[in-house]
């Protein structure tokens, strides 16, 4: 994996733009004091570039693939927090249980049970988000909105888990509609679960809109590191 200093300068510029657009959307649509966290999504990105983003002040990394994460984790600047955001097979939970602070992609009871089992075994509590398939797309993971309440009720019975909120990847197209629906769903469910404080939505193409619709955590890959082509 090679990274030239041009790539790194590009990250500074991109981060500047992202922060400006988030600040604009917050000023326009959000209450003062509401925080929006920026996650740097690292898939296919060289560790040097990831560490450069950490040096620039990004303190949260998002990992999609267990294998890729394991191959890069040792090279990462340890000061950043790491959360898992990709589709997770139950048999791989064991590889990440002690090295991430949150699993954002919980979409089944079975996965929740395995995280719970390993969290208890390791003497820790794992923060989780439920991933919602807000567009009802067959190709995507995530629980359908209709099944969400039941899943959360079941997960909330499990030891070693703290349900902190919801995550989504809305379908392409009508962003406003789906982001708005997610916000409604989050508001109604988080009213029943006071420990919820995280609505993870917004990627490179829709993060400013997501901030408008109440996102507390935007997950940005290409908008920060450039197109996923220069490292692999
Ligand atoms: C890749 C990915 C992102 C970031 O996508 P970009 O469009 O590159 O910003 C965010 N969330 C998840 C779950 C992803 O897999």
């Amino acid at each position: 994996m090679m990274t030239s200093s041009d790539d790194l300068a590009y990250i500074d510029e991109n981060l500047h733009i992202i922060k400006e657009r988030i600040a604009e959307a917050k000023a326009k649509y959000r209450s003062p004091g509401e925080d929006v966290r920026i996650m740097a999504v690292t898939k296919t990105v060289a560790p040097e570039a990831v560490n450069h983003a950490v040096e620039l002040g990004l303190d949260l990394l998002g990992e999609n693939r267990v294998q890729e994460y394991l191959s890069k984790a040792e090279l990462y600047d340890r000061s950043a927090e790491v959360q898992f955001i990709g589709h997770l097979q139950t048999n791989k939970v064991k590889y990440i249980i002690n090295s991430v602070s949150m699993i954002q992609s919980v979409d089944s009871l079975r996965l929740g049970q395995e995280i719970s089992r390993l969290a208890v075994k390791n003497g820790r509590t794992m923060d989780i988000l439920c991933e919602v398939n807000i567009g009802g797309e067959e190709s995507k993971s995530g629980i359908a909105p209709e099944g969400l309440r039941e899943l959360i009720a079941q997960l909330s019975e499990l030891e070693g888990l703290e349900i902190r909120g919801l995550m989504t990847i809305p379908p392409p197209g009508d962003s406003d509609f789906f982001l708005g629906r997610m916000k409604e769903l989050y508001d109604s469910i988080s009213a029943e679960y006071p420990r919820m404080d995280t609505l993870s939505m917004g990627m490179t193409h829709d993060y400013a809109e997501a901030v408008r619709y109440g996102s507390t955590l935007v997950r940005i890959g290409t908008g920060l590191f450039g197109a996923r082509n220069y490292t692999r």
Side-chain angles (χ1 to χ4, degrees), residues 92-129:
K92 298 220 170 127
V93 176
K94 58 178 178 282
Y95 299 119
I96 62 167
I97 191 75
N98 281 321
S99 63
V100 302
S101 63
M102 180 186 273
I103 297 174
Q104 296 202 356
S105 44
V106 177
D107 62 357
S108 72
L109 180 59
R110 201 167 145 255
L111 178 57
Q113 284 166 331
E114 178 64 357
I115 297 169
S116 162
R117 186 182 75 80
L118 288 167
V120 170
K121 190 175 161 194
N122 285 277
R124 62 164 298 173
T125 298
M126 180 61 84
D127 284 339
I128 62 166
L129 303 181

Side-chain angles (χ1 to χ4, degrees), residues 39-43 62-65 84-87 104-105 131 167-169 200 202-207 218-224 226 228:
M39 166 186 277
V41 175
T42 66
K43 56 179 179 262
E63 295 295 319
N64 278 76
R65 300 177 188 129
F84 197 81
I85 61 172
H87 179 68
Q104 296 202 356
S105 44
E131 179 175 354
M167 183 269 254
T168 195
I169 306 173
S200 170
M203 301 166 41
T204 295
H205 69 285
D206 65 352
Y207 67 88
V218 294
R219 310 178 308 266
I220 303 184
T222 49
L224 184 64
R228 287 186 272 276

Side-chain angles (χ1 to χ4, degrees), residues 55-93:
E55 273 167 34
L56 295 174
L58 288 175
D59 59 358
L60 178 60
L61 306 179
E63 295 295 319
N64 278 76
R65 300 177 188 129
V66 171
Q67 224 51 49
E68 182 181 338
Y69 173 47
L70 296 177
S71 75
K72 298 197 302 194
E74 284 178 17
L75 304 169
Y76 283 168
D77 182 329
R78 294 280 158 160
S79 66
E81 182 182 344
V82 178
Q83 300 184 352
F84 197 81
I85 61 172
H87 179 68
L88 183 58
Q89 290 170 280
T90 48
N91 63 357
K92 298 220 170 127
V93 176

Side-chain angles (χ1 to χ4, degrees), residues 20-56:
E20 242 174 29
R21 290 191 62 204
I22 290 176
E24 254 171 54
K26 274 172 71 178
K28 226 164 152 181
Y29 300 110
R30 302 285 290 274
S31 308
E34 284 184 357
D35 208 32
V36 178
R37 219 170 160 195
I38 302 173
M39 166 186 277
V41 175
T42 66
K43 56 179 179 262
T44 77
V45 178
E48 303 95 289
V50 173
N51 289 342
H52 185 68
V54 175
E55 273 167 34
L56 295 174

